[in-house]
Amino acid sequence: SVLTQPPSASGTPGQRVTISCSGSSSNIGNNYVCWYQYLPGMAPKLLIYNNNQRPSGVPDRFSGSKSGTSASLAISGLQSEDEADYYCAAWDDSLNGFYVFGTGTKVTVL
Amino acid sequence: EVQLVESGGGLVQPGGSLRLSCAASGFIFRTYWMSWVRQAPGKGLEWVANMKPDGSEIYYVDSVKGRFTISRDNAKNSLYLQMNSLRAEDTALYYCTRDSQGPNEYTLNYWGQGTLVTVSS
């Protein structure tokens, strides 16, 4: 993957956790970023789109941001049900164009 | 309510073929970009291919170019993925997604539950 995330992150209930996503000018630098939540046994779910927008139904303790060729997802007030895999993603303009996911971050609630 | 139901997965030998289907409902299928995404066992998400509503634009990840073909039938509200020359590394759970596309923006808004493809002798 051309989008790099830390493999893991953790926190205790109520804490704030931040996940980074590093890309390049052909993807994050030129296009909006999305974040997806992948809970065990469930289909992935859109969490953040257009860098920082939440779909209806996503709690406001999830927030996204982007600066240059990097993006980040913050989870404030961590809850046990937030234990999941999180992926950033963006369209990449190189080659003929393709959609690329980050390497994924496993969030553990201690 | 948006519903995406994948089918067609199964066990296939290396070099074999399989055709996945995705039945869509709850939205005007002919107006949306659609994608296939997969997750191999123990690996992360990988986008496979997508298609414009009218079929005039199609994109693939490099690893499936020349082997996989995405198609759609707007009259049947269905998306397909024809997979040929299958390899062990194609073993994965395959998801169908309904997407949104705009200037500098691409989003996989809704996901199906997935269909499992296993390539093994």
Side-chain angles (χ1 to χ4, degrees):
Chain A
S1 175
V2 297
L3 301 184
T4 303
Q5 300 176 232
S8 63
S10 62
T12 57
Q15 276 191 329
R16 176 184 170 93
V17 169
T18 302
I19 302 168
S20 61
C21 174
S22 177
S24 67
S25 58
S26 63
N27 42 67
I28 294 178
N30 198 43
N31 296 297
Y32 288 106
V33 177
C34 294
W35 290 89
Y36 301 91
Q37 180 189 56
Y38 200 174
L39 289 157
M42 306 281 287
K45 169 187 168 184
L46 176 65
L47 208 57
I48 297 287
Y49 67 98
N50 288 8
N51 300 336
N52 55 18
Q53 301 299 302
R54 285 185 308 276
S56 174
V58 172
D60 60 6
R61 52 201 183 76
F62 291 95
S63 62
S65 64
K66 170 184 148 177
S67 178
T69 59
S70 294
S72 63
L73 174 72
I75 310 173
S76 58
L78 193 65
Q79 299 184 7
S80 58
E81 57 261 38
D82 299 334
E83 187 158 294
D85 295 325
Y86 293 85
Y87 292 86
C88 60
W91 189 261
D92 193 300
D93 298 321
S94 64
L95 303 175
N96 292 321
F98 59 99
Y99 196 67
V100 60
F101 287 98
T103 49
T105 299
K106 169 68 177 178
V107 169
T108 301
V109 182
L110 302 170
Chain B
E1 179 193 2
V2 173
Q3 287 202 343
L4 300 167
V5 180
E6 303 92 339
S7 61
L11 174 64
V12 61
Q13 292 189 340
S17 298
L18 214 53
R19 189 196 195 204
L20 305 183
S21 299
C22 171
S25 61
F27 64 99
I28 304 175
F29 180 77
R30 66 179 184 274
T31 65
Y32 284 92
W33 286 74
M34 300 290 293
S35 287
W36 287 100
V37 176
R38 66 185 179 183
Q39 186 188 36
K43 299 290 183 65
L45 295 173
E46 180 182 45
W47 172 86
V48 174
N50 70 349
M51 191 171 201
K52 195 175 179 179
D54 63 3
S56 62
E57 290 183 43
I58 294 174
Y59 301 89
Y60 296 97
V61 69
D62 277 354
S63 59
V64 308
K65 282 179 182 176
R67 300 188 301 123
F68 290 11
T69 302
I70 188 173
S71 63
R72 63 193 296 162
D73 186 335
N74 287 341
K76 295 183 177 180
N77 293 337
S78 293
L79 181 73
Y80 306 101
L81 186 68
Q82 177 66 42
M83 303 185 296
N84 298 330
S85 302
L86 282 161
R87 306 166 180 167
E89 54 264 36
D90 296 317
T91 294
L93 187 57
Y94 284 75
Y95 294 99
C96 163
T97 70
R98 191 199 90 172
D99 308 340
S100 59
Q101 185 268 351
N104 304 110
E105 178 252 325
Y106 201 88
T107 304
L108 311 182
N109 297 88
Y110 293 93
W111 299 63
Q113 291 299 312
T115 186
L116 182 62
V117 172
T118 303
V119 184
S120 174
S121 54

